[in-house]
């Protein structure tokens, strides 16, 4: 978006302070001191912009934009569709969502409109276009923030009809739907489209194919609504750049599908810092995983659109970030590809449910507050390292992630209904790569593994035939593939593949699944090294597969119960590459040595020397970020790092690292 500038700012709500003109004045002064250069405006401003139907009041926003811009602050202008005025909900009940139990919601809260309602779409288009006409060409407006955190689903009659139309377009005939959903089961065959209903607690919950297609439809409808808003703006300002703010591990729509339709990916990051039992490093890695997913969505820099400078108001216990953590998290986002770091929120509200949410400026309005001082410090650092903006990441390892698979696993009955733990599974692989300083991208199911040295396929229960083909070609061509348990079980309709499994990959992996053994929480199976494998022992948990080797070399085997002797980890040479099979989820200690062995000689770590525990290195283009997330100082060959300190180096290609920070 802008060269040599990292964005820094926050959600800003001047509409909450219209009766206090001194506050806008003070905010602009404080933003200058904190080195803010971008604010998201208007996210929840609809009633101030259109207090009565068709009556637009935009002068207050014009004044705010003009004054901010004069002070060097650009604007990420929001469409206000996430929260609607009461007059609108009252006059047009169809805009209010109907829950799965078929009860229409009352007016209240936010992010709860029907995505199908033509009335809502029309009202949104009107206000979006008024905004675009008035501000779309203002030099301050560098980005459009479409709505806010799209989420949820509606089951009204309009949505039911849209679902049926979507199915008709996807399948062509009822016959095809009946086949895809295996509706002969329990005599559920449909004879007319009008019989198809969305899932309901008092209705359909058993047809996995229908449940999966409903999720796909909701995803489609959410993206379609976003496109409606985007195109409303672009009709007036064709060059408008749009973003949406996404959420942590959110499953409400396919993020890759959404990303295709936007210019910039962004997300709202609210990790649980300082939770007893979790190290800073663990929390940071879990957060980094989402950064890397966001980067992967468009394979280019993203924004951390929201994070708190201190605490949220909605965790069980709303702990504040301790000194130094805010600086560290801001720089961590940049290390992983963020071109901007923004907060929710600039100034703390006085009332309603977010009055105790952290903000850069608190109720006391003071700049000598720790939170403000630390925010200003980060602003200063980002200003100094602006040259990092735009830097791209090199392809190293990829983790295949498919939202269809997540939805299908969530809705499958058995083999383990106490949580399949897909995110946990993904995180264990990711964390090991992060600790090794190896960059990881997320690859959608239609993505191309070409260009990666290592591809990981964690629990890909729903495996599309074409993907299996691409993975096979990848190994054949010399790639290294890791496939875990419970992969290649069903096709895209959630129909079980018939024949040997993991479907499409048995010859690549050199194993054939014979049983899947679900484990109770806390239950484990001991595994031991076979041959000279360097990991002597590991514990298998959650889901443990038993497989018959068909050419693969067991590297570890189960060492107890009736699966004793069956491969827990196996390797198979296929074409010019190698395929690894992990029969179970293992204890966290397994993954680091496993991936260290795999990466050695194949993937260069971000930092050339071995790093002590708690120190993470991330490479972004020519820049290497080193962060000491341990609670002790560390001494490296080129840097001494205090706890929570970040060092940034620029690699000029000669092997010499110049320290920028
Ligand atoms: C986000 C939301 C913001 C604010 C924030 C509080 O999910 O987009 O508007 O509510 O949470 O943490």
């Amino acid at each position: 978006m802008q060269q040599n500038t990292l964005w820094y700012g926050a959600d800003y709500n001047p509409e909450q302070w219209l009766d206090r003109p001194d506050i806008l004045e003070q905010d602009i002064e404080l933003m200058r001191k904190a080195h803010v250069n971008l604010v998201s405006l208007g996210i929840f401003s609809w009633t101030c912009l259109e207090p009565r139907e068709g009556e637009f009041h935009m002068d207050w926003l014009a004044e705010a934009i003009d004054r901010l811009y004069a002070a060097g602050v650009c604007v990420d202008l929001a469409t206000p569709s996430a929260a609607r005025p009461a007059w609108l909900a009252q006059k047009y009940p169809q805009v209010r969502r109907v829950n799965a139990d078929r009860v229409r919601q009352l007016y209240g809260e936010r992010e709860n409109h029907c995505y199908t309602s033509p009335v809502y779409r029309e009202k949104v288009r009107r206000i979006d276009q008024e905004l675009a006409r008035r501000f779309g060409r203002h030099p301050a407006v560098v980005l459009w923030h479409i709505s806010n955190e799209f989420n949820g689903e509606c089951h009204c009659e309009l949505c039911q009809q849209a679902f049926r139309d979507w199915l008709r377009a996807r399948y062509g005939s009822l016959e095809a739907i009946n086949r895809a959903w295996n509706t002969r089961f329990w005599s559920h065959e449909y004879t007319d489209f009008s019989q198809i209903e969305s899932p309901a607690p008092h209705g359909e919950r058993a047809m996995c194919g229908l449940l999966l297609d409903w999720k796909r439809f909701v995803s489609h409808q959410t993206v379609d609504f976003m496109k409606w808003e985007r195109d409303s703006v672009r009709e007036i300002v064709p060059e408008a750049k749009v973003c949406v703010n996404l959420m942590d591990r959110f499953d409400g729509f396919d993020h890759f599908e959404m990303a295709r339709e936007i210019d910039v990916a962004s997300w709202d990051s609210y990790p649980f810092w300082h939770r007893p039992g979790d190290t800073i490093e663990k929390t940071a890695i879990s957060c980094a995983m989402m950064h890397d997913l966001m980067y992967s969505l468009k394979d280019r820099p993203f924004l951390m659109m929201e994070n708190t400078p201190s605490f949220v108001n909605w965790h069980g216990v709303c702990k504040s970030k301790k000194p130094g953590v805010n600086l560290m998290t801001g720089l961590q986002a940049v290390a992983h590809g963020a071109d901007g770091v923004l907060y929710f929120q600039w100034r703390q509200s006085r009332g309603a449910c977010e009055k105790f949410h952290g903000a850069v400026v608190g109720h006391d309005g003071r700049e000598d507050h720790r939170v403000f001082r630390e925010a200003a410090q980060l602003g200063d650092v980002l200003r100094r390292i602006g040259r990092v903006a735009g830097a791209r990441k090199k392809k190293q390892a990829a983790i295949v992630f498919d939202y269809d698979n997540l939805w299908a696993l969530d809705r499958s009955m058995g083999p383990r209904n106490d949580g399949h733990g897909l995110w946990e599974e993904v995180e264990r692989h990711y964390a090991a790569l992060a600790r090794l300083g190896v960059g990881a991208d997320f690859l959608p199911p239609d993505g191309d593994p070409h260009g990666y040295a290592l591809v990981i396929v964690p629990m890909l229960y729903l495996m599309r035939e074409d993907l299996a083909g691409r993975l096979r070609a990848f190994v054949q061509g010399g790639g290294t593939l890791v496939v875990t348990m419970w992969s290649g079980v069903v096709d895209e309709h959630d129909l079980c593949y018939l024949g040997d499994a993991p479907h499409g990959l048995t010859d690549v992996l050199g194993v054939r699944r014979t049983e899947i053994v679900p484990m109770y929480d806390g239950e484990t199976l001991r595994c031991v090294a076979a041959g000279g494998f360097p990991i002597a022992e590991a514990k298998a948990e959650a889901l443990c597969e038993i497989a018959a080797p068909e050419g693969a070399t067991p590297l570890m085997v189960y060492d107890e119960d009736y699966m004793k002797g069956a491969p827990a980890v196996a390797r198979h040479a296929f074409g010019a590459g190698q395929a690894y099979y992990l029969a179970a989820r293992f204890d966290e200690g397994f993954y680091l040595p496993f991936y260290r062995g795999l990466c050695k000689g194949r993937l260069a770590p971000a930092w050339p020397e071995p790093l002590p525990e708690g120190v993470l290195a991330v490479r972004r283009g020519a820049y290497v970020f080193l962060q000491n997330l341990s609670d002790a100082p560390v001494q490296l060959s080129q840097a001494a790092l205090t706890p929570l300190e970040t060092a940034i180096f620029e690699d000029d290609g000669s092997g010499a690292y110049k320290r920028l920070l």
Side-chain angles (χ1 to χ4, degrees):
M1 282 182 294
Q2 194 154 310
Q3 279 200 329
N4 291 326
T5 303
L6 290 166
W7 295 110
Y8 188 52
D11 278 19
Y12 183 42
N13 299 93
E15 72 277 9
Q16 292 181 22
W17 307 99
L18 291 178
D19 56 345
R20 287 284 309 268
D22 57 310
I23 292 228
L24 178 61
E25 190 76 40
Q26 191 201 14
D27 281 336
I28 289 175
E29 179 54 16
L30 290 176
M31 284 181 194
R32 195 184 55 75
K33 290 185 174 164
H35 310 281
V36 164
N37 57 12
L38 183 69
V39 290
S40 300
L41 279 186
I43 299 178
F44 300 115
S45 302
W46 199 336
T47 49
C48 287
L49 295 167
E50 190 183 1
R52 275 162 295 279
E53 190 169 5
E55 190 185 309
F56 296 97
H57 292 209
M58 302 215 163
D59 292 349
W60 66 270
L61 185 56
E63 188 196 337
I65 294 179
D66 287 344
R67 293 184 59 183
L68 286 161
Y69 189 57
V73 180
C74 290
V75 170
D76 165 33
L77 186 61
T79 64
S81 61
R84 62 192 165 278
W87 60 254
L88 201 158
Q90 185 179 43
K91 182 162 176 198
Y92 306 104
Q94 68 159 245
V95 308
R96 290 187 267 122
R97 264 184 204 166
V98 170
N99 298 332
D101 61 6
R102 300 338 190 221
V103 173
R104 194 178 289 280
Q105 297 182 6
L106 300 176
Y107 176 65
E109 304 259 344
R110 62 172 180 179
E111 291 151 11
N112 52 7
H113 52 275
C114 170
Y115 292 133
T116 309
S117 160
V119 173
Y120 200 61
R121 287 188 176 217
E122 212 29 63
K123 293 291 153 197
V124 165
R125 177 184 161 85
R126 180 84 202 272
I127 183 87
D128 289 359
Q129 295 201 330
E130 289 290 334
L131 283 166
R133 265 190 284 274
R134 180 85 189 250
F135 304 112
R137 296 235 151 71
H138 194 296
V141 178
V142 292
L143 187 63
W144 283 80
H145 186 291
I146 303 293
S147 205
N148 193 66
E149 290 188 342
F150 281 109
N151 70 84
E153 58 191 49
C154 173
H155 297 255
C156 73
E157 266 315 311
L158 294 166
C159 287
Q160 301 293 347
Q161 195 47 51
F163 180 39
R164 291 173 199 132
D165 294 345
W166 179 87
L167 287 169
R168 202 190 297 268
R170 183 178 172 87
Y171 290 97
S173 70
L174 260 189
E175 226 187 327
I177 294 177
N178 279 319
R179 228 176 306 121
W181 294 353
N182 200 39
T183 52
R184 257 180 220 161
F185 177 79
W186 289 354
S187 226
H188 277 216
E189 272 169 292
Y190 296 100
T191 52
D192 194 280
F193 269 95
S194 62
Q195 295 155 356
I196 300 178
E197 288 265 355
S198 64
H202 54 310
E204 191 56 86
R205 286 173 303 155
M207 306 306 293
C208 299
L210 179 150
L211 306 185
L212 178 58
D213 272 337
W214 171 251
K215 285 297 288 182
R216 288 181 176 132
F217 163 74
V218 170
S219 182
H220 163 86
Q221 207 67 349
T222 310
V223 174
D224 191 64
F225 188 90
M226 190 286 300
K227 281 160 66 182
W228 171 269
E229 289 211 67
R230 179 200 65 189
D231 295 345
S232 300
V233 171
R234 285 203 183 144
E235 232 174 75
I236 312 295
V237 190
E239 69 280 13
K241 295 263 176 283
V242 307
C243 76
V244 294
N245 53 336
L246 306 165
M247 290 184 276
D248 198 344
R249 292 163 175 72
F250 179 64
D251 80 331
F253 51 84
D254 182 334
H255 288 41
F256 290 103
E257 186 186 351
M258 180 67 95
R260 276 194 287 275
E261 306 297 338
I262 56 176
D263 299 295
V264 181
S266 81
W267 78 291
D268 302 342
S269 170
Y270 295 106
F272 288 78
W273 295 109
H274 316 299
R275 201 159 41 180
D278 286 351
T279 58
I280 297 254
E281 186 203 27
K282 184 171 167 59
T283 311
I285 287 178
S286 154
C287 181
M289 183 168 107
M290 289 311 290
H291 288 319
D292 284 339
L293 173 58
M294 293 301 141
Y295 185 93
S296 305
L297 291 179
K298 294 204 69 74
D299 192 23
R300 66 174 91 119
F302 62 94
L303 299 174
M304 177 157 73
M305 186 59 85
E306 294 181 22
N307 84 119
T308 176
S310 48
F311 45 85
V312 299
N313 66 326
W314 50 269
H315 286 168
V317 173
C318 304
K319 270 257 182 271
S320 196
K321 285 172 167 172
K322 293 186 183 176
V325 173
N326 192 50
L327 179 63
M328 181 278 285
T329 51
L331 293 177
Q332 186 201 27
V334 175
H336 285 270
D339 268 0
V341 174
L342 293 96
Y343 301 109
F344 178 85
Q345 53 191 332
W346 172 256
R347 182 179 279 272
Q348 215 169 15
S349 312
R350 286 197 71 190
C353 69
E354 287 182 339
K355 61 182 180 299
F356 298 129
H357 195 291
V360 180
V361 182
H363 294 139
D364 62 10
R366 297 189 65 94
E367 62 190 87
D368 57 1
H369 195 286
R370 173 174 79 86
V371 172
F372 185 86
R373 277 192 280 108
E374 290 193 30
Q377 184 195 4
L378 173 57
D380 180 46
V381 170
L382 294 178
R383 187 179 55 80
R384 288 191 278 131
I385 62 161
R387 61 205 287 188
V388 175
R392 306 287 289 268
K393 296 196 282 185
K394 206 170 135 200
K395 284 186 167 39
Q396 289 200 297
I399 299 174
V400 175
F401 195 85
D402 181 354
Y403 283 86
D404 281 2
N405 177 53
L406 174 62
W407 299 332
L409 275 170
D410 279 342
R411 282 153 189 80
S412 158
M413 295 286 289
R416 194 177 190 280
N417 301 321
D418 290 350
H420 51 74
L422 176 64
W423 284 113
E424 171 68 30
E425 175 72 28
V426 171
E427 196 170 324
R428 288 195 188 185
H429 298 263
Y430 176 86
L433 297 177
R435 291 198 168 98
L436 290 166
V438 168
D441 293 337
F442 286 82
L443 195 70
D446 57 355
D448 184 3
H450 188 79
Y452 292 99
L454 168 66
V455 171
I456 302 167
V457 179
M459 276 182 91
L460 200 64
Y461 157 81
L462 183 152
M463 167 103 66
R464 289 162 34 158
E465 200 82 67
D466 56 326
L467 174 63
R470 281 194 297 281
L471 294 173
R472 157 188 303 272
F474 167 73
V475 184
Q476 213 139 27
T480 300
L481 179 72
V482 176
V483 177
T484 81
M485 78 295 182
W486 214 222
S487 292
V489 184
V490 300
D491 69 7
E492 79 221 64
H493 303 301
D494 202 16
L495 290 174
C496 292
Y497 283 117
L498 302 179
D500 292 347
H503 180 79
L505 292 176
T506 46
D507 57 340
V508 178
L509 293 167
V511 296
R512 175 173 51 83
R513 175 168 56 241
T514 57
E515 279 188 54
I516 178 84
V517 183
M519 309 284 280
Y520 289 104
D521 286 345
E523 194 191 7
T524 59
L525 284 171
R526 189 177 56 252
C527 305
V528 293
F533 194 59
I535 305 174
E537 212 176 300
K539 286 195 173 66
E541 58 185 64
L543 279 173
C544 303
E545 250 174 35
I546 309 179
E550 294 195 337
T553 310
L555 303 176
M556 294 190 86
V557 292
Y558 293 109
D559 193 38
E560 53 183 325
D561 211 340
Y562 68 100
M563 53 288 289
K564 192 177 165 88
V569 179
R571 183 180 54 220
H572 187 231
F574 184 78
Q578 299 280 329
Y580 288 80
Y581 165 69
L582 302 186
R585 181 169 310 151
F586 297 104
D587 60 283
E588 289 184 55
F590 165 83
Y591 295 90
L592 186 59
F594 174 71
Y595 280 109
R596 185 178 288 127
L598 242 67
C599 293
K600 203 167 171 198
R602 288 191 180 98
L603 287 163
W607 188 251
E609 70 187 309
L611 293 172
E613 215 182 306
V615 179
L616 297 181
V618 183
R619 189 175 184 115
R620 177 176 176 188
Y623 305 97
V624 179
F625 291 66
L626 279 179
Q627 298 200 295
N628 178 11
L629 305 179
S630 74
D631 47 19
V634 294
Q635 180 67 52
L636 304 169
S637 64
Q638 300 192 47
L641 294 175
T642 57
L644 293 178
E645 189 178 350
T646 302
I648 307 175
F649 295 86
E650 188 169 1
D651 174 4
D652 66 4
S654 69
Y657 288 75
K658 189 175 122 216
R659 189 159 177 181
L660 296 186
L661 181 75

